[in-house]
């Protein structure tokens, strides 16, 4: 974390930050962290996944991608993504299809479901009515141009996200004396004898991996769709930046959400689940305004995430074909899945996302295994330049003579 922060302050590409916020991807991260957090019903533990492996995977994904990337172009709309590095493993078209189904369809189902659940809890709005509103807005934006949402998202989403973080920290400090008991509860219910003998540890790890994957996407190969648009002097820089997202998304934000729920004393394992559990917890802590704030925040976070996920799908569909009829059908299907998410149960929405995430991860890990050696060579080159006192390491393709002809952007 210290190394990443050091490089962040020293050489962070400000252009990426603008792209990241303006396209709504900050919303993607904070929405995943806020609504994607899950408590395992039986053991009552906040579920998180291993940090080290995921961080390493993101370094490899981004380094390999920036090393091979052919998707960066000097045009207004940039199309880039993991399919560029997956292509070297003969998986590009299949991986592009998986991204389309995972993000534009299954993830948007979860996000639509979450918005509807939040508004039902806060304002008693019917799922069908909310689904129709979301579907109409989604289709209006994706048919009218993706840039329409950028200005609003770039202003509101960061404010709402920071507001949630501050709110979570205030609640943690208000209950600071109970923090040791909460941590003890988490550890005892995760690693106790009862859980070990009953297989609870294995189930908790499996559930934690699935929800952690949804939260930070590390290992899926999806993050490069955004990060590939960054303009950096060395591909390892962007890999290091991505690891910071893994830390902040899942470990910090999701843990704060867990503390809010456990501090509040709301019953776990009951009818309330997902975002409604968080709303009930905030209502107990700060009054009825907590549920309303979460509902409004989720609307901005999740809706801009729907648009961001559509961009993922569109970028990868354009990688396969530029047929206008196919693109129109894809847009209509995206709207249909938003409506489906509003009507589907929480378990069905998450199960669909889990299957798609698993398939994406398997495909991406194959590419990482085959291409990871180049990432480690890039990392060695980067570290060597830092040891030589070079503050801003650079990379050019002539440093790798054996694959120089395959490198297009360096």
């Amino acid at each position: 974390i210290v190394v990443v922060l050091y490089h962040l302050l020293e050489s962070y590409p400000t252009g990426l930050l603008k792209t990241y916020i303006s396209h709504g991807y900050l919303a993607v991260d904070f929405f995943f962290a806020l609504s994607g957090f899950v408590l395992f019903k039986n053991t009552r533990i906040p579920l998180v996944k291993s940090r080290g492996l995921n961080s390493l995977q993101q370094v490899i994904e981004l380094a390999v991608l920036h090393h091979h990337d052919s998707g960066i172009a000097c045009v207004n709309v940039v199309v880039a993504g993991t399919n560029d590095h997956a292509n070297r493993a003969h998986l590009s078209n299949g991986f592009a299809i998986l991204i389309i189904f995972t993000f534009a369809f299954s993830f948007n189902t979860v996000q639509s479901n979450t918005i509807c659940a939040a508004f039902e809890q806060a304002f008693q709005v019917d799922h069908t009515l909310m689904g129709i509103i979301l579907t109409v807005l989604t289709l209006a934006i994706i048919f009218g141009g993706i840039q329409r949402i950028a200005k609003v998202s770039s202003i509101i989403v960061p404010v709402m996200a920071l507001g949630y973080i501050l709110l979570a920290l205030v609640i943690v400090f208000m209950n600071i004396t109970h923090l040791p008991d909460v941590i003890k509860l988490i550890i005892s219910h995760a690693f106790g004898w009862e859980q070990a003998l009953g297989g609870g540890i294995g189930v908790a790890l499996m559930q934690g991996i699935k929800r952690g994957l949804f939260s930070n996407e590390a290992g899926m190969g999806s993050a490069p769709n955004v990060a590939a648009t960054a303009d950096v002097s060395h591909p390892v820089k962007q890999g290091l930046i991505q690891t910071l997202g893994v830390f902040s998304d899942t470990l910090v934000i999701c843990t704060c959400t867990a503390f809010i729920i456990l501090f509040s004393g709301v019953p776990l394992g009951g009818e309330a689940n997902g975002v409604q559990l968080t709303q009930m917890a905030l209502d107990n802590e700060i009054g009825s305004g907590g549920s309303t704030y979460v509902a409004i925040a989720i609307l901005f976070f999740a809706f801009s995430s729907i648009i961001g996920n559509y961009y993922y799908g569109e970028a990868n569909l354009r990688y396969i074909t530029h047929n206008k009829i196919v693109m129109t059908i894809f847009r209509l299907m995206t709207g249909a899945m938003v409506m489906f998410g509003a009507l589907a149960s929480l378990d069905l929405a998450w199960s669909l996302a889990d299957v798609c995430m698993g398939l994406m991860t398997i495909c991406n890990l194959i590419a990482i295994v085959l291409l990871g050696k180049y990432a480690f060579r890039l990392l060695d080159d980067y570290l060597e330049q830092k040891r030589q006192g070079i503050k801003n390491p650079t990379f050019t393709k002539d440093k790798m003579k054996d694959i120089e002809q395959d490198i297009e952007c360096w």
Side-chain angles (χ1 to χ4, degrees):
I1 295 169
V2 172
V3 171
V4 172
L5 288 174
Y6 170 77
H7 290 293
L8 179 70
L9 294 172
E10 184 181 58
S11 55
Y12 186 83
T14 55
L16 173 64
L17 183 60
K18 294 177 181 178
T19 302
Y20 199 67
I21 293 176
S22 65
H23 281 77
Y25 298 117
L26 187 62
V28 177
D29 286 346
F30 280 102
F31 164 66
F32 285 168
L34 181 61
S35 63
F37 182 85
V38 171
L39 295 176
F40 185 45
K41 293 181 181 179
N42 296 327
T43 57
R44 299 186 180 184
I45 59 171
L47 297 169
V48 296
K49 66 186 292 192
S50 170
R51 317 303 313 161
L53 177 60
N54 263 10
S55 297
L56 176 60
Q57 285 173 338
Q58 285 214 342
V59 171
I60 293 176
E61 286 174 10
L62 270 298
V64 171
L65 174 66
H66 273 279
H67 178 60
H68 288 291
D69 180 37
S70 60
I72 300 177
C74 296
V75 293
N76 291 331
V77 178
V78 181
V79 178
T82 308
N83 47 11
D84 285 317
H85 82 249
N87 185 48
R88 275 59 182 181
H90 308 290
L91 297 170
S92 58
N93 287 337
F95 193 79
I97 292 172
L98 284 175
I99 290 181
I100 292 169
F101 276 87
T102 301
F103 281 85
F105 299 157
S106 67
F107 278 10
N108 278 352
T109 298
V110 174
Q111 290 152 359
S112 174
N113 184 277
T114 303
I115 294 174
C116 292
F119 269 71
E120 179 187 38
Q121 178 72 18
F123 309 112
Q124 291 75 52
V125 178
D126 182 70
H127 278 230
T128 303
L129 175 59
M130 196 67 202
I132 293 173
I133 294 173
L134 291 175
T135 302
V136 171
L137 289 175
T138 300
L139 291 174
I141 290 172
I142 63 180
F143 274 101
I146 199 170
Q147 289 82 8
R148 288 186 178 184
I149 197 68
K151 291 183 179 180
V152 176
S153 296
S154 63
I155 297 172
I156 297 178
V157 168
V159 174
M160 299 295 288
L162 291 174
Y164 176 77
I165 295 175
L166 292 175
L167 180 62
L169 291 176
V170 168
I171 292 174
V172 170
F173 282 116
M174 286 171 56
N175 297 273
I176 195 70
T177 56
H178 301 295
L179 186 58
D181 293 333
V182 167
I183 294 175
K184 181 181 178 181
L185 177 69
I186 293 171
I187 296 174
S188 64
H189 281 78
F191 304 108
W193 284 108
E194 180 182 347
Q195 286 72 32
L197 295 175
I201 292 179
V203 176
L205 286 174
M206 181 179 68
Q207 189 79 342
I209 289 171
K210 290 190 294 186
R211 295 300 168 260
L213 189 62
F214 189 90
S215 172
N216 57 58
E217 304 175 37
M220 284 176 57
S222 53
N225 283 268
V226 179
T229 64
D231 182 13
V232 292
S233 61
H234 199 291
V236 171
K237 286 184 178 182
Q238 193 54 36
L240 292 172
I241 293 299
Q242 291 304 118
T243 65
L244 187 64
V246 175
F247 168 76
S248 60
D249 258 8
T250 306
L251 190 59
V252 175
I253 306 299
C254 290
T255 301
C256 285
T257 304
F259 287 158
I260 290 173
I261 294 172
L262 294 175
F263 284 144
S264 70
V266 296
L268 303 176
E271 293 184 1
N273 208 340
V275 69
Q276 291 183 340
L277 191 62
T278 305
Q279 288 177 293
M280 290 175 59
L282 281 173
D283 283 344
N284 284 1
E285 292 289 340
I286 63 174
S288 59
S291 183
T292 302
Y293 178 83
V294 170
I296 295 173
I298 283 293
L299 175 63
F300 285 106
F301 295 167
F303 186 71
S304 57
S305 295
I306 289 173
I307 305 305
N309 288 342
Y310 165 78
Y311 164 77
Y312 271 32
E314 182 188 272
N316 283 273
L317 185 59
R318 290 187 184 280
Y319 181 82
I320 299 172
T321 179
H322 289 272
N323 187 291
K324 292 184 178 180
I325 296 177
V326 173
M327 188 62 63
T328 300
I329 294 173
F330 165 68
R331 289 171 176 172
L332 292 173
M333 289 180 65
T334 300
M337 292 306 292
V338 171
M339 188 65 202
F340 172 76
L343 302 177
S345 66
L346 180 68
D347 290 339
L348 177 58
W350 276 103
S351 295
L352 182 62
D354 289 340
V355 171
C356 291
M357 283 191 297
L359 293 174
M360 265 191 70
T361 303
I362 291 172
C363 183
N364 185 60
L365 291 180
I366 293 173
I368 286 179
V369 169
L370 295 173
L371 301 172
K373 59 183 179 181
Y374 300 115
F376 287 110
R377 288 171 62 182
L378 288 166
L379 180 60
D380 291 340
D381 175 74
Y382 180 84
L383 294 176
E384 179 59 30
Q385 291 188 53
K386 297 299 290 185
R387 282 192 289 267
Q388 293 175 5
I390 300 175
K391 291 186 177 182
N392 188 29
T394 59
F395 175 80
T396 53
K397 62 182 181 180
D398 58 0
K399 293 183 178 181
M400 290 188 173
K401 297 293 185 181
D402 54 329
I403 55 172
E404 183 176 356
Q405 299 302 318
D406 296 325
I407 304 175
E408 300 178 29
C409 286
W410 296 93

